Amino acid sequence: MELIQGTHKAPKFAPQDFISSMPDIVINNILDRLPFQNAVRTSVLSSNWRFKWTMLTQLVLDVDFFDSLETEEEEVDDDESNNESIVSKLLLQLRGPITKFELSVDDISDADDMDNWILFLSRRGLKDLTLTSWNADPLDLPTRLFSCVELKHLKLRNCFFCLPPTFHGFPNLLSLDLCVEFEDDIQLGEFFTRCPLLEKLTMDDQFEMERVNIVEIAKQENLKILSLKFHDSDDEFTITNSSDIFELVGSLPKLQELHLDFEDSDLIEGGPRKSFFTAFPCLKVLNLSDICLDDGIMFSFAFELIRSSPNLQTLEITQSYGNADSPLQGDYSTTRLLQLQSVMFDCLKGSENEIRLIKYLLACSPSLKRMHIFSCHFSSSEEKLVFVRKLLKLYRASPVVELELFWH
């Protein structure tokens, strides 16, 4: 057999490095979806991959990231291994635009570091910012944060929220998520009016109606998702006026999703009873958490809110068992068709008010596909059987609805 010298034929099906041959924009997209520490580790794959992580556009330094640093075996000097030093060095190594920055820390010992990071990021095209402090004391926000006019998404957790006199607004902000401690004399209504494009607003733990001028909130014509938690950690119990909630929600013409949490909160009716039919024609998703349906005022509020949302498609209610001092009043026999497709109840115990609401929903929802009921309050099989029998007797307007019960 004659040998051919100096030639080598590659196997027909030799493996190829398809990932490395992809365009840089595709590789960056893949790396952005990895945990940051894993994206950095790709630098050891080859010389071609050594600096690809430095083109990341999304930097997520969360608890998992800092925990991974503590497991490293290499010992370094404390001055070089503190959180501030690590973050500063990482930011300086990134070479491209940084559109998203998420930071979750226990403590920041030097406020100037945070201020410098925000300044650096604002010059690199920052659009999405999340700051979370796990310290007992709220994190003081850097003043430069309120100069980031290009921000589109802002999420703050356990921070002290104080507006500087130089703040003129976030003209491009689309979503705002706040779980913060406010300064005493802050006017939230004025702050919201300086975010004209806001589409999603979430406020947890310390939403107080008296801090908000409803007329100013009504100017948020683009708001589509609203999530409020009526609870003040400084007070044992928070009193909320149901009429204020109706007025606030009714002033938002494009609202599609509403999430209300009444933990440690009570409702009162202010002024004469009103009818709110067709008040919320755009509302499609409604979530009511920690609401006591056995209380007459809360039941009335939930019933009117549902009945006033003719295009509602998804409803979730989590029952609580607080003070049920108010007796049920009013006429609940008046019905109208709803567009509900999915309903979920949690923590039900089979009370008369719960059955009354379920009866209304089943009878007025011809498009309903599923109703899931979760309960952990039945102590015996006999009680469960009585509850099931009550449900089976209820009329169902939808011929395809699946009614499923789950016992915790």
Side-chain angles (χ1 to χ4, degrees), residues 12 37 44 56-57 66 119 128 191 197 199 223 232 246:
K12 187 174 181 180
Q37 57 271 30
V44 302
L56 286 170
T57 62
F66 289 106
L119 175 62
D128 188 335
F191 167 73
L197 300 183
E199 295 181 353
L223 202 63
D232 188 349
F246 274 113

Side-chain angles (χ1 to χ4, degrees), residues 45-82:
L45 294 177
S46 69
S47 58
N48 187 40
W49 281 81
R50 185 175 180 183
F51 297 107
K52 288 191 181 295
W53 72 271
T54 63
M55 296 303 295
L56 286 170
T57 62
Q58 301 182 21
L59 189 59
V60 179
L61 307 181
D62 54 12
V63 175
D64 291 337
F65 169 76
F66 289 106
D67 285 346
S68 70
L69 295 180
E70 295 178 0
T71 62
E72 296 290 337
E73 296 181 357
E74 183 181 63
E75 294 185 359
V76 294
D77 183 64
D78 287 341
D79 292 335
E80 296 181 356
S81 62
N82 61 62

Side-chain angles (χ1 to χ4, degrees), residues 184-398:
D184 292 336
D185 57 347
I186 191 171
Q187 294 298 319
L188 291 179
E190 182 181 352
F191 167 73
F192 293 142
T193 57
R194 297 181 182 182
C195 308
L197 300 183
L198 197 63
E199 295 181 353
K200 180 179 180 181
L201 172 62
T202 301
M203 298 189 67
D204 288 345
D205 288 343
Q206 296 186 355
F207 180 77
E208 302 172 52
M209 296 296 292
E210 62 268 19
R211 290 184 181 271
V212 181
N213 187 324
I214 293 178
V215 176
E216 293 174 330
I217 292 293
K219 298 177 182 178
Q220 301 300 315
E221 298 179 352
N222 295 304
L223 202 63
K224 297 178 181 179
I225 302 175
L226 178 62
S227 179
L228 304 175
K229 186 172 184 178
F230 300 96
H231 172 63
D232 188 349
S233 61
D234 294 332
D235 299 326
E236 292 183 0
F237 216 68
T238 302
I239 305 297
T240 305
N241 193 315
S242 61
S243 297
D244 287 343
I245 300 177
F246 274 113
E247 186 177 352
L248 174 60
V249 177
S251 66
L252 305 171
K254 296 182 181 179
L255 192 66
Q256 297 179 11
E257 291 189 26
L258 178 61
H259 305 261
L260 301 177
D261 191 330
F262 295 93
E263 180 186 359
D264 295 332
S265 179
D266 197 7
L267 277 179
I268 61 172
E269 286 185 333
R273 186 179 179 82
K274 299 179 181 180
S275 176
F276 296 94
F277 290 134
T278 67
F280 319 118
C282 293
L283 195 63
K284 296 183 179 180
V285 177
L286 176 61
N287 187 310
L288 302 176
S289 297
D290 286 302
I291 185 167
C292 182
L293 295 177
D294 293 334
D295 178 80
I297 293 179
M298 283 198 166
F299 179 88
S300 174
F301 170 79
F303 191 90
E304 291 287 0
L305 192 56
I306 296 169
R307 188 163 59 177
S308 304
S309 308
N311 297 310
L312 193 65
Q313 296 180 5
T314 301
L315 172 65
E316 296 184 4
I317 295 180
T318 302
Q319 165 79 305
S320 73
Y321 299 99
N323 297 325
D325 299 329
S326 304
L328 189 62
Q329 298 178 354
D331 178 19
Y332 298 97
S333 60
T334 304
T335 61
R336 62 181 304 167
L337 290 181
L338 303 173
Q339 301 300 318
L340 278 170
Q341 297 183 15
S342 175
V343 175
M344 191 277 288
F345 287 98
D346 197 7
C347 298
L348 293 197
K349 65 176 182 180
S351 68
E352 290 303 316
N353 277 3
E354 293 170 354
I355 296 295
R356 182 178 287 109
L357 183 56
I358 293 173
K359 177 182 179 180
Y360 168 66
L361 296 178
L362 288 174
C364 299
S365 306
S367 301
L368 191 61
K369 297 178 180 179
R370 67 189 67 87
M371 178 181 286
H372 291 175
I373 299 175
F374 296 82
S375 178
C376 57
H377 294 279
F378 292 97
S379 57
S380 67
S381 299
E382 190 172 317
E383 289 181 349
K384 294 179 182 178
L385 184 58
V386 171
F387 180 56
V388 170
R389 284 175 175 171
K390 289 181 179 180
L391 294 178
L392 290 176
K393 292 180 181 180
L394 300 179
Y395 169 72
R396 307 181 190 184
S398 172

